[in-house]
Amino acid sequence: MTADVVRSASADAWPSLPLQPWEETCTTLQLWTQIVGKTRLAYAPMQNHWWQVPLYVTARGLGTSPIPQAGHTFEVDFDFIDHRLLIRTSEGRSETLLLEPQTVAEFYGRYVDRLRSLGIDLKIHPVPNEVPNPLPFLEDEEHERYDPDAARRFWRALVQADRVLKEFRSGFLGKCSPVHFWWGGFDLACTRFSGRGAPPHPGGVPNLPDRVTREAYSHECISAGFWPGNGGGPVREAAFYAYAYPEPLGCPEAAIRPAEASYHPVLREWILPYAAVSRSPAPDALLLDFLVSTYDAAARLGGWDRAALERGGASGDAAGRT
């Protein structure tokens, strides 16, 4: 166990995040992040597995990082402390949009206007992805709830998840994604790769072209992350997850830790409720135990070349510096 983990953040740093009280805000916020995320998709050069399109956890919220545009760059940041959206360019210009109750249509219109004032003419497919029954952004007068306290608590949970996932990522020497926030699924994730190709993904994600999913899963991987439990799926609470694609035989029966975690037969993922982590006297250690043990199980069952892929080549070192 590393010194960083021993000096784990206090449980107070992991806010309570039950879904029901903030579900409407969660839905609205997911749609707003899709608008900003699609901006990055429109301008950033293609990277493997669509790594050019996610957002990143920042010290104040979620941000795009610099986006290239016409010889310059710009970036867009959600600030969940002062509750504003900040657009800044490499020429020193900026625009701000308040994060407050407003429909998706209003947010989209105001956002596009502010981009235009900075000389950025946004052209995106203005319809959400990975959500059931999507409304075009300009037609969505339904989703308008924004609870500042709920948004801030979600961001605080992301800060903690991002920090521990980065610690976990440090132990892997092979190809590995950044820890990044997928605005489609509204989840924070980190994905490790074995180096081998994978069979074509079956697709079928709601309102997402199969070609997108097949590029994302073109190579064998083990992924772990966090999401708030929204989307109407079988898990209706904030949770950490882990899974392998393709899933090797034996995952449902594999022994994993901690005791609060289990294999979900519908999702075909291992699930650790966020509440178990937030209430733990040692949340970092509990979460790392989940991340390491699920990776251990999937990599062992999948026959990964762990001596070549891991720092130290042993499961005990998979979490990072020991």
Side-chain angles (χ1 to χ4, degrees), residues 282-305:
D284 290 33
L286 189 78
L287 176 52
L288 276 169
D289 204 22
F290 173 74
L291 298 172
V292 170
S293 69
T294 52
Y295 165 75
D296 280 349
R300 174 178 52 82
L301 293 169
W304 283 31
D305 184 0

Side-chain angles (χ1 to χ4, degrees), residues 30 34 128-132 182-187 205-208 212 231:
Q30 179 178 9
Q34 291 217 12
N129 295 114
E130 300 185 56
V131 298
W182 292 102
W183 39 265
F186 211 56
D187 64 309
V205 178
N207 301 296
L208 188 70
V212 175

Side-chain angles (χ1 to χ4, degrees), residues 34-70:
Q34 291 217 12
I35 293 168
V36 172
K38 282 173 176 274
T39 305
R40 193 168 185 226
L41 174 62
Y43 289 102
M46 180 67 189
Q47 293 182 20
N48 49 296
H49 315 298
W50 306 102
W51 289 354
Q52 82 279 14
V53 305
L55 306 179
Y56 305 97
V57 176
T58 72
R60 299 183 70 91
L62 288 167
T64 60
S65 79
I67 302 170
Q69 189 264 336

Side-chain angles (χ1 to χ4, degrees), residues 183-263:
W183 39 265
F186 211 56
D187 64 309
L188 187 72
C190 180
T191 305
R192 295 174 168 186
F193 292 82
S194 71
R196 302 187 295 240
H201 194 279
V205 178
N207 301 296
L208 188 70
D210 289 347
R211 65 177 179 82
V212 175
T213 314
R214 286 173 183 153
E215 166 61 32
Y217 292 99
S218 63
H219 288 71
E220 191 175 66
C221 64
I222 299 171
S223 190
F226 164 75
W227 92 108
N230 64 316
V235 174
R236 299 282 296 157
E237 63 175 324
F240 294 92
Y241 64 82
Y243 64 89
Y245 180 79
E247 182 183 86
L249 294 174
C251 282
E253 300 81 24
I256 62 161
R257 303 182 303 272
E260 295 90 340
S262 62
Y263 181 88

Side-chain angles (χ1 to χ4, degrees), residues 23 37 64 70 79 106 118 121 124 128 133 139 164 195 209 213-214 219 221 228 236 245 252 277 283 289 297 306-307:
E23 188 167 9
T64 60
D79 180 340
E106 289 171 329
L118 296 171
D121 186 18
I124 62 173
N133 306 312
E139 298 176 18
V164 177
T213 314
R214 286 173 183 153
H219 288 71
C221 64
R236 299 282 296 157
Y245 180 79
V277 177
D289 204 22
R306 302 183 64 183

